[in-house]
Structures are given as C-alpha cells and as structure tokens.
Amino acid sequence: MARLDEQDFDEKRLARRQKRKRRQLLAYIVLAVFVIIVGAGIAFGVHAISGLFKPTKVEETAVAADDGSYEEDSSGPTIATPDEETHEVAQMTEKDVLDEIVEGIISEMTLEDKVAGLFMVTPEQITGVPTVVKAGSGTQDALSKYAVGGIVYSAKNLKTTDQAAEMLKATNDMSKYPLFTAVAEDTADDSSISSTLGGIETVDINSSDAAYSTGNSIATAMFKYGFNFDIAPNLDITENGHYGTDIEVVNDITGAFVQGLEESGVTACVHDFPVSADTSEGSVIDESTREMLVTGAYEVYKNAFENAGAKAVMLTNASLPQITGDNTPASLSEKLIQEELRGALNFDGVILTGPLNETAITGSVGADRVGVAALLAGADIIYLPEDFEAAYNGILSALVSGEISEDRINESLTRIYRIKYAEKAAQLSGN
C-alpha cells in the first residue's frame, strides 16, 4: 500500500475546507443582498402606485462612495463586505487545523490499520528477527502488513550513532503513518541511549534546574538519532524511587524533567501510574488506599499533567484491590483508568498499558483477549503484548462481533494522532 503524502494531503484538505467556507459565505451574502434589493423594489413600487414619487428611505440614507460601496445612517443595519467576512471565517485556529488533519487521516484509514495503530511493539515482534539493528526488507514487509503506531527500542538495537540514525530514518520512511519511536531514557545505568550511544549530558538530578537541563539534553540526543517518545520519568515516591519520598521535591524534579523533554519536542510518558512494582515475575498486590494515593501519588501525576505538560502516561501492572475492588491489574482496570485517571485526575492524554508480556498479565489473560481487555478498560496504546498477532487479531474479532465499536478505536486514535500531528498543525496555522 502506498504511503500517504502527508504534507500534500493536509494542505489540500485545509484549502478545500477554506474554499468551501468562502463559497458558502459568498452565497449567503449574495442572497442577503438580493433580498434587500427585492424588498427595496417592492417598497418603491408601492410608493409609485400610490403616486408618492418621493425618494425612498434607502435613497435618502445611502450615499455613493468613491470605491463603489455605500454608507448608511446610524439607524440602519451595517452589511459587512464579502472580503471582511471571508477573512474572519477562513481564519482557522491551530486547534481547528489539528482537528481537520486528525479527522481526515483517521477517516481514510482501513480498519486493519486503525487496529494496528493502537500497538506499540519492539521491532523484533513485527519482523520475527531475534535482534533488529537495521531496517531492511523485513521491516518494510512488516510495516506494510501491520501499520503499528509505535516501535520501542532497547539497548540491544543501538550499536553506533550512524547505525541508530539510519535505522530510525529508514523505519520512519517505510511507515504509512507517523510513528512513535520510543526508548526508556532517564540517564540511569539501564537507560537505552546512555548505556550504548551516549551523547547525553549526565548530571546528578537533585534540583529542578538539573532535571530540566537533563530533559533537554536527552531530547536533543533523541532527535539526533530519530526518537520522539521517552518512557520517562518514573514518578515513584517510595524509597525505591529515583527522586526520594518528599512529594514537593519529586514534583519539582519530575515536573522540570517533563518540561525539558516536552519543550524540546519529545513526548514524555510518565510512569507507572499509580504505583511502581516489579510485575515481571508474577502478580503484585498493592494495598494503597485511595486516600493514600490522593495525598501522595496523585499529586505528583497531577503536577506532571497540568503544570509540566506530560501528554502520555503508562500504567502499572500491579493490582490495587483497595481502589478497584478486585485483583485486576491496573493496566486492565476500567475503574482505575476511567474513574481515577480520566475522572479524578482529568487526564485526556494518551494512556499506555504496562508491558503486557509480563507474568502479572499473561498468567491471567489470554493472548487473544489482552488487547480487547485493555481497550474495554479505556487504554489507548497496547504496549508490548506477549503475542502481537494474537492480540491484533483478537481486537479485529471483537470489532466484527460488536464487542468493541469502531468509534472506540477512533477515540484512542484521535488522542494518539493529536500528539503526532501537533507540530504539523502549528506549521500550517502559522504558529
């Protein structure tokens, strides 16, 4: 399938919309002027028939101007010129442009591409290659069949600066739609870029200034290699967290970190909401009460969303029975996602599940049902399912049966694409 020419598509669609508005407006104005003229003619005819051949009110109050327009007295209505009205209507805000782009792209996607666009996977998951270090024919074939929304890379995929940049560029060129190209990078020892390619200024992140500088340095390096999505920072406020247990300190540092990334053009994905836990070996039960979270973790996440501008969040796979009433992992909990994250915290950005290949998930949900469960719970991006094809086909089956609606898919795609096309909308709107 041929790739979309995004620039040409976006600009032509916007031009068509503006032309439609201008034609509609001019039609309304012509109709209004016609009605006025007819009305004036009828009035004039009545006066003529009655023998009153005096100047009409229109003639008394309308004085010809040199430019062909006319002036009316203060008691009459003012009719704006077509140019003035057209200019006012044709002006589109950045939000209007973004809405137009996103709606246009989604409306022309196939159902298969829409479903694939909800997945963020490793390059190995779609190519079947043990370790991907180059985007070749295998990547091309995979992306033609499965137009995934994002690919997450780890240290094993990154060998040299030139290799990484070439791999990312080729991958983006092969994709039919914009990709989230993701890494987990916060300069820790196990971070993808820091542990392999370097190029990031590492400092002790013990203040908001240092955190902002680090976020900016990370974003600069990510752009250099072709990454645009950072799964960082971790907002853990326990003794195991990177930034301590003092909420005010964690707010300052993580908020500045997020700002450093976002203001440099990289999407920050804060994690793990609402509590961090190692769920790779099995289920983890966290007994935090809602009151504890409201005065603790929720404050940190609200700061990241509302003040720092984080546009994405990843869920934990831990279970919080005091919140949900059962042992459903947070990534698959409608109550935690819809009532707490969307409701209590008023977050309308992109929500990623935790890694769905972890034992906490695979031990309780089948590979063909895990994507369905995530979407029904309210997640937008299905992150690292154990079996990508099974999860993908499971969602398609749920669409056919009516268990999931296409509107539900479009809802998540809209959130995702509003991030991906934000820069393009800003350019087209002149901001």
Side-chain angles (χ1 to χ4, degrees):
M1 187 181 295
R3 295 175 60 245
L4 293 178
D5 186 341
E6 297 164 16
Q7 178 73 34
D8 185 56
F9 178 87
D10 297 340
E11 292 179 351
K12 286 182 178 180
R13 187 173 182 83
L14 293 172
R16 289 197 299 269
R17 177 187 173 96
Q18 292 176 343
K19 286 179 181 178
R20 277 201 310 273
K21 288 185 175 181
R22 286 195 291 270
R23 288 197 299 268
Q24 290 170 349
L25 178 64
L26 289 173
Y28 294 149
I29 291 173
V30 169
L31 178 61
V33 171
F34 177 75
V35 170
I36 292 172
I37 292 174
V38 171
I42 292 172
F44 181 81
V46 170
H47 285 293
I49 292 172
S50 63
L52 300 176
F53 294 100
K54 294 186 292 182
T56 66
K57 183 64 176 176
V58 172
E59 292 172 328
E60 291 177 343
T61 59
V63 180
D66 292 338
D67 61 2
S69 62
Y70 63 89
E71 297 177 356
E72 296 181 345
D73 68 4
S74 58
S75 64
T78 300
I79 301 177
T81 66
D83 284 345
E84 289 172 345
E85 287 288 345
T86 301
H87 177 73
E88 179 180 348
V89 173
Q91 286 295 318
M92 296 178 70
T93 67
E94 184 174 335
K95 181 181 180 302
D96 292 333
V97 174
L98 182 57
D99 289 342
E100 189 80 6
I101 292 173
V102 171
E103 290 172 10
I105 293 293
I106 293 176
S107 69
E108 298 195 3
M109 293 174 72
T110 65
L111 197 57
E112 290 79 9
D113 283 354
K114 287 182 178 183
V115 172
L118 303 178
F119 284 85
M120 184 179 286
V121 296
T122 67
E124 290 79 17
Q125 283 183 290
I126 57 171
T127 62
V129 176
T131 301
V132 173
V133 294
K134 181 180 180 180
S137 59
T139 301
Q140 178 69 78
D141 292 343
L143 289 176
S144 295
K145 184 177 182 180
Y146 300 116
V148 294
I151 300 179
V152 59
Y153 297 84
S154 60
K156 72 177 184 178
N157 303 120
L158 312 177
K159 302 302 180 183
T160 69
T161 56
D162 289 343
Q163 169 267 333
E166 290 172 6
M167 178 178 64
L168 267 294
K169 182 180 185 306
T171 301
N172 278 306
D173 288 344
M174 293 171 181
S175 178
K176 289 184 282 187
Y177 309 99
L179 282 169
F180 280 142
T181 46
V183 288
E185 180 58 56
D186 62 1
T187 73
D189 292 340
D190 59 348
S191 294
S192 300
I193 296 176
S194 296
S195 64
T196 54
L197 306 179
I200 298 173
E201 180 184 355
T202 57
V203 297
D204 184 15
I205 306 178
N206 56 10
S207 69
S208 58
D209 288 342
Y212 182 86
S213 177
T214 299
N216 183 266
S217 179
I218 289 173
T220 300
M222 288 179 67
F223 267 123
K224 177 182 178 181
Y225 304 126
F227 297 106
N228 58 26
F229 193 96
D230 191 8
I231 303 172
N234 188 323
L235 303 191
D236 189 2
I237 56 173
T238 69
E239 292 80 2
N240 298 321
H242 293 315
Y243 312 112
T245 59
D246 186 300
I247 293 178
E248 185 173 343
V249 171
V250 176
N251 270 346
D252 289 343
I253 291 177
T254 57
F257 193 114
V258 168
Q259 286 180 314
L261 291 170
E262 291 281 352
E263 291 177 8
S264 299
V266 168
T267 299
C269 178
V270 294
H271 65 103
D272 297 307
F273 181 84
V275 296
S276 291
D278 181 4
T279 50
S280 60
E281 300 299 326
S283 299
V284 174
I285 306 298
D286 187 292
E287 295 293 351
S288 296
T289 65
R290 191 174 188 281
E291 290 72 25
M292 292 167 60
L293 293 177
V294 167
T295 57
Y298 282 15
E299 287 297 315
V300 181
Y301 279 92
K302 283 177 63 177
N303 179 65
F305 301 149
E306 297 176 3
N307 300 323
K311 297 181 180 67
V313 58
M314 179 179 285
L315 294 156
T316 182
N317 283 330
S319 300
L320 292 93
Q322 298 293 331
I323 309 297
T324 64
D326 56 29
N327 290 333
T328 302
S331 287
L332 307 179
S333 171
E334 181 179 5
K335 184 174 181 63
L336 193 69
I337 294 174
Q338 300 287 19
E339 294 186 21
E340 299 301 312
L341 190 49
R342 295 284 189 216
L345 275 72
N346 197 33
F347 179 69
D348 193 36
V350 172
I351 296 176
L352 289 74
T353 67
L356 297 181
N357 56 3
E358 292 187 340
T359 308
I361 301 295
T362 60
S364 59
V365 184
D368 62 331
R369 293 293 300 172
V370 70
V372 175
L375 291 176
L376 291 176
D380 299 308
I381 290 182
I382 301 158
Y383 183 72
L384 301 187
E386 180 185 29
D387 186 330
F388 161 64
E389 289 191 3
Y392 166 84
N393 288 322
I395 295 174
L396 284 178
S397 296
L399 280 163
V400 171
S401 70
E403 184 179 8
I404 294 177
S405 69
E406 188 172 356
D407 286 344
R408 172 65 191 88
I409 304 295
N410 292 345
E411 177 188 326
S412 286
L413 282 176
T414 298
R415 293 192 183 100
I416 293 167
Y417 273 45
R418 286 185 67 82
I419 294 178
K420 291 182 175 181
Y421 280 101
E423 184 177 355
K424 176 69 67 63
Q427 293 171 351
L428 292 175
S429 63
N431 294 327

